[in-house]
Amino acid sequence: MKNNTLIKQTKEHLHILCTEISERRVGSKGNRKATNYLKSELQKNKWKVEETLLKVMDWKTQGATLSCGQQFFDVFSSPYSLGCSVQGELVPVDTIEKLYKSEITDKIVFLYGKIASEQIMPKNFEFYNPEEHKQIIASIEQKNPKAIICATSRNSALAGGVYPFPLFEDGDFDIPSVYMKDVEGEKLLTCSKPIIKLESKAKRIPETAYNIVARKEGKAQKRIVISAHIDSKIGTQGAIDNATGVTVLLLLSELFNTYNGKYQIELVAFNGEDYYAVSGQMKYIKQNKGRFNDVVLNINIDGVGYIDGLSCISAFNLPDDIQAKLNDIIQNNPNIVIGLPWYQGDHSIFIQNGCPALAISSDWLIRNMESQEVTHTTKDNLSIINFERIPECVIAIKDLINALEEM
Ligand SMILES: [Zn+2]
């Protein structure tokens, strides 16, 4: 297939995922439309498709208001938080030590400064969860304030390029919360009234979502797993994060529609990479317990196609023979470079289970992970995509799989 055809197909898939369907947050209608679209395309290309039901939480808000006397402040409902309509005394807290000492039961706690400097991992998130985060949650739950107000700055590495970022994004944490900009928080600190009023019109809605796994049998038991998450962050089209990754899966499914090789090929659309409960990932780990040693290689695609710079491949735990094949591929592809190591993606699942893995992304994005203002914001739309990057990645993956067949 010529590159032009691949570029045309890339544009068609991305148009459907980002423009027609648009937001694909876990539990939304758009998310189910996207998994349905992927499923039908994979079936068209003669893959055996498995759809796994996930019980998830969707979430909606009609906004939040905060007032101190006649003064109003700009606040937002924390994603996946319960709503509330409360009034009470405001207790400012800027460090963990202060949190431990403060009397906040039945009051409204205001987290700002140091304690609010990085997003608190969801309480049931297993992959990365600092002790300090667990202690903050445990302490607040034990003291049981009426609600939490958070003032935050910017923290691209953990929260994406959003300002302010929600300090809590956790459907398992039941103290209602809102968040605001740090500069707005400074104004709140000067509020002298004894009682403040907070309302957040948020609600949780039980919903369904699906993981999609497609397979082509191989001559051996061993498998190559190619993965991309299909969900987008709340309120975004998720073009680079990660409609381009899903598009890579779609194009590969067509290129390999008559595959009959040595390894089994498994295409996985994870549902939940940008979701507090990472439901699709947890489900896949459960389903594959004791079977990760079948995985010859995981190739995870997340963040490919950024408008500036080239694509990059980061390698983890590669045995020498696979590394040699990868080196050839990179040498023959002027548009693909070796990437920095990074772990905030689904390749971590495979690395943690001892599998060799590759993460394919955009070099610019990985280099600027700490400061970029693109992912998880409305800027993540098709205007930041270089469509040519996607077929380049697809062809590199195809060449690599063919090269692995010769091992
Ligand atoms: Zn992503």
Side-chain angles (χ1 to χ4, degrees):
M1 211 177 310
K2 283 214 195 79
N3 225 338
N4 280 346
T5 314
L6 287 177
I7 291 176
K8 190 171 159 262
Q9 290 172 329
T10 296
K11 288 183 179 167
E12 284 167 5
H13 290 313
L14 285 174
H15 175 77
I16 289 169
L17 291 166
C18 298
T19 311
E20 283 183 18
I21 295 175
S22 194
E23 183 176 343
R24 304 175 304 283
R25 69 171 190 277
V26 171
S28 67
K29 209 183 254 177
N31 183 280
R32 290 187 294 274
K33 272 189 192 161
T35 47
N36 231 329
Y37 175 64
L38 178 66
K39 180 180 149 190
S40 68
E41 290 292 305
L42 291 167
Q43 284 171 336
K44 232 189 261 173
N45 291 327
K46 307 270 183 300
W47 289 68
K48 212 170 130 195
V49 181
E50 184 185 314
E51 187 180 50
T52 308
L53 174 71
L54 309 165
K55 290 203 168 126
V56 297
M57 194 75 83
D58 194 14
W59 177 86
K60 282 183 182 142
T61 185
Q62 288 177 291
T65 50
L66 171 65
S67 61
C68 173
Q70 294 308 307
Q71 204 180 354
F72 282 80
F73 303 87
D74 275 339
V75 292
F76 313 96
S77 311
S78 306
Y80 301 100
S81 165
L82 291 170
C84 64
S85 180
V86 294
Q87 41 185 300
E89 184 189 330
L90 185 73
V91 185
V93 166
D94 61 348
T95 62
I96 291 202
E97 296 72 33
K98 208 158 174 182
L99 176 66
Y100 292 155
K101 278 185 231 149
S102 297
E103 178 47 63
I104 60 173
T105 308
D106 264 341
K107 296 175 182 173
I108 297 172
V109 61
F110 175 44
L111 304 178
Y112 71 103
K114 191 158 175 271
I115 197 168
S117 61
E118 63 176 35
Q119 191 167 48
I120 307 295
M121 287 295 126
K123 53 188 273 199
N124 294 324
F125 190 75
E126 293 174 12
F127 301 109
Y128 163 79
N129 210 331
E131 208 43 50
E132 203 174 270
H133 291 194
K134 293 185 199 165
Q135 284 164 4
I136 290 172
I137 299 246
S139 175
I140 295 174
E141 281 183 333
Q142 191 223 329
K143 295 181 184 223
N144 199 22
K146 281 180 174 163
I148 310 167
I149 300 165
C150 316
T152 63
S153 54
R154 192 184 287 285
N155 190 323
S156 297
L158 286 176
V162 286
Y163 171 57
F165 66 86
L167 189 62
F168 300 99
E169 189 167 338
D170 188 350
D172 294 318
F173 181 45
D174 290 340
I175 313 278
S177 74
V178 297
Y179 66 107
M180 70 202 311
K181 287 185 178 173
D182 46 4
V183 288
E184 193 75 0
E186 279 165 31
K187 286 191 242 162
L188 179 62
L189 278 175
T190 65
C191 146
S192 56
K193 297 277 185 297
I195 295 289
I196 62 156
K197 278 188 190 171
L198 175 66
E199 183 172 21
S200 171
K201 293 180 183 165
K203 62 173 185 216
R204 294 175 180 166
I205 308 149
E207 264 299 354
T208 54
Y210 300 89
N211 265 357
I212 301 289
V213 177
R215 294 190 183 87
K216 287 274 185 195
E217 292 306 327
K219 296 187 179 75
Q221 266 294 338
K222 300 268 177 192
R223 55 191 162 132
I224 296 169
V225 181
I226 307 169
S227 54
H229 72 85
I230 196 163
D231 58 307
S232 73
K233 200 71 177 176
I234 270 190
T236 82
Q237 289 183 13
I240 202 159
D241 188 17
N242 185 30
T244 51
V246 175
T247 300
V248 170
L249 296 185
L250 284 161
L251 298 182
L252 283 170
S253 79
E254 186 162 353
L255 290 182
F256 283 105
N257 62 354
T258 58
Y259 176 83
N260 181 25
K262 183 165 151 192
Y263 301 110
Q264 180 189 114
I265 299 184
E266 189 177 283
L267 303 179
V268 181
F270 281 117
N271 216 332
E273 206 269 338
D274 277 319
Y275 177 61
Y276 74 92
V278 283
S279 309
Q281 285 75 351
M282 300 306 285
K283 188 69 162 198
Y284 184 86
I285 291 169
K286 223 171 161 188
Q287 289 171 328
N288 282 273
K289 203 168 172 230
R291 297 204 305 120
F292 278 101
N293 48 7
D294 289 350
V295 179
V296 183
L297 182 66
N298 164 239
I299 304 171
N300 185 53
I301 305 119
D302 196 352
V304 297
Y306 189 63
I307 195 149
D308 291 329
L310 304 174
S311 302
C312 65
I313 303 184
S314 309
F316 307 85
N317 304 336
L318 291 199
D320 292 345
D321 49 357
I322 300 183
Q323 183 71 56
K325 302 285 186 196
L326 176 67
N327 293 348
D328 289 346
I329 301 283
I330 290 180
Q331 234 153 44
N332 293 327
N333 278 280
N335 295 320
I336 296 180
V337 297
I338 296 171
L340 296 170
W342 60 286
Y343 297 91
Q344 303 93 310
D346 292 327
H347 47 290
S348 287
I349 294 169
F350 295 89
I351 299 169
Q352 287 181 359
N353 281 284
C355 311
L358 300 177
I360 309 189
S361 191
S362 295
D363 192 49
W364 182 91
L365 209 58
I366 300 304
R367 286 187 185 282
N368 295 285
M369 194 98 81
E370 309 280 325
S371 57
Q372 55 88 17
E373 297 169 20
V374 176
T375 60
H376 303 178
T377 76
T378 50
K379 286 182 201 156
D380 186 2
N381 57 50
L382 291 179
S383 70
I384 60 156
I385 300 299
N386 178 344
F387 295 99
E388 290 179 27
R389 293 283 99 101
I390 288 99
E392 290 164 7
C393 292
V394 169
I395 288 166
I397 295 170
K398 180 182 145 240
D399 291 347
L400 181 63
I401 291 175
N402 289 336
L404 295 182
E405 291 286 318
E406 294 157 15
M407 278 184 349

